[in-house]
Amino acid sequence: MSTPSSVPQESEASSSDAPATSLRWVFVVTYGRSGSTLTQGMLNALPRTLVRGENNLFLLPIFRSYLGLKEFQQRFTGAGNPKTTSAFYGLHELDTDAFAASVRDLVRVQLLGSAPAAEIDVLGFKEVLWHRVRPRQWADFFDFMDLAFDNPRYVLNHRDLEMTSSSGFWRSRKPGVAVQQITRVERLQTFLTQSRPDRCFDTRFELTTSPDRAVAAASLKGLAEFVTGSCDDELLESMLALREVGHGPNPFGAARGERPAGR
């Protein structure tokens, strides 16, 4: 017989118990060597905000499954599929909008991990592989994101093209590859700004790391207000101080020899 001490006790609510609908979502859209990990750090300095790092853009194959199902359904719905004798039996009952919305719960659980859900209001991730989204699918992909994450916000991180393409891992790529992939993401950022202007905020590495404190402060305050709605002096000071903390591979090292003078 089990003793009282061996009886399983009710645990506190896990991260998977909180409703996904109460969350606000933010995604960092950028490319490698743009200072995106520093931006990620700034976002995680904001109250009740959790922005995870890169994940191989795992949403892209999920989107492609969604789009493939939607196109397949549009093609074959009506081909007698209400009947059990149809090869497409039940296809008309699949709900692609619900499919997209269900992704929210999947992603929420994965991103929260061990973080207490009750302490998080804003959730998301930063990624540098957005060039993998084909331009002809931009509209469909971000419509899917709107369905899945209830009109999320986007932080569009920028850096000087020449400095970025000659930085870090880009230097080992074939000539032209860096410029091609970075330029594609810059075009995607423009697409987002034009199609969702009220849900996009531009950040720039040169502003965030500027030796002019007022310039950096204005940029960081704008970022905080965009994500959380406010930014007091204490929060702004903590964000400014965070610039001195190394982020990403080789922080402040040879790969970051491009930092502005005075840094």
Side-chain angles (χ1 to χ4, degrees):
M1 180 180 291
S2 298
T3 63
S5 61
S6 64
V7 175
Q9 301 295 311
E10 278 193 28
S11 60
E12 295 183 3
S14 68
S15 62
S16 61
D17 292 330
T21 52
S22 64
L23 288 169
R24 301 191 305 275
W25 297 84
V26 63
F27 300 98
V28 180
V29 177
T30 189
Y31 35 83
R33 303 305 302 158
S34 64
S36 62
T37 309
L38 178 58
T39 298
Q40 171 190 306
M42 294 298 177
L43 291 168
N44 282 301
L46 303 179
R48 303 185 64 81
T49 300
L50 177 63
V51 175
R52 299 296 194 181
E54 298 160 31
N55 54 51
N56 200 36
L57 194 55
F58 73 93
L59 282 175
L60 184 54
I62 297 176
F63 157 72
R64 288 175 176 160
S65 295
Y66 159 82
L67 186 62
L69 174 60
K70 188 174 182 178
E71 292 175 345
F72 189 83
Q73 186 183 53
Q74 290 171 344
R75 181 181 178 187
F76 292 107
T77 290
N81 49 53
K83 301 177 181 179
T84 58
T85 54
S86 170
F88 309 106
Y89 174 57
L91 180 63
H92 68 293
E93 293 197 20
L94 298 181
D95 186 337
T96 54
D97 284 356
F99 178 105
S102 69
V103 172
R104 187 181 312 157
D105 283 318
L106 169 67
V107 175
R108 174 181 56 87
V109 171
Q110 296 303 314
L111 295 187
L112 280 175
S114 60
E119 298 178 8
I120 306 299
D121 290 335
V122 180
L123 184 63
F125 62 76
K126 75 103 168 178
E127 185 55 80
V128 300
L129 299 178
W130 299 95
H131 62 273
R132 292 181 177 176
V133 184
R134 303 183 186 103
R136 62 183 174 82
Q137 292 186 333
W138 287 348
D140 286 332
F141 180 84
F142 287 99
D143 284 348
F144 165 78
M145 293 287 284
D146 287 346
L147 286 171
F149 302 104
D150 194 21
N151 299 321
R153 295 192 167 208
Y154 298 98
V155 173
L156 312 178
N157 201 69
H158 305 268
R159 189 186 181 193
D160 176 77
L161 176 60
E162 182 178 355
M163 297 298 286
T164 304
S165 61
S166 60
S167 174
F169 66 85
W170 288 121
R171 292 177 293 187
S172 64
R173 301 295 173 86
K174 293 181 179 179
V177 169
V179 172
Q180 180 186 48
Q181 293 184 357
I182 293 168
T183 300
R184 174 180 283 191
V185 177
E186 291 278 7
R187 287 171 49 216
L188 170 57
Q189 291 171 329
T190 299
F191 166 80
L192 285 170
T193 299
Q194 293 176 345
S195 61
R196 295 157 175 81
D198 58 330
R199 291 191 277 123
C200 291
F201 182 85
D202 291 281
T203 61
R204 180 165 289 278
F205 179 76
E206 293 82 0
L207 298 180
T208 302
T209 61
S210 174
D212 187 327
R213 182 179 173 86
V215 169
S219 177
L220 294 173
K221 183 177 181 180
L223 176 64
E225 290 176 342
F226 172 73
V227 175
T228 66
S230 64
C231 181
D232 59 25
D233 290 343
E234 182 179 359
L235 175 58
L236 182 56
E237 286 300 321
S238 70
M239 295 175 76
L240 287 166
L242 195 58
R243 300 187 305 160
E244 304 303 327
V245 178
H247 288 76
N250 304 310
F252 310 129
R256 290 199 175 180
E258 319 90 347
R259 294 176 69 83
R263 296 284 301 146

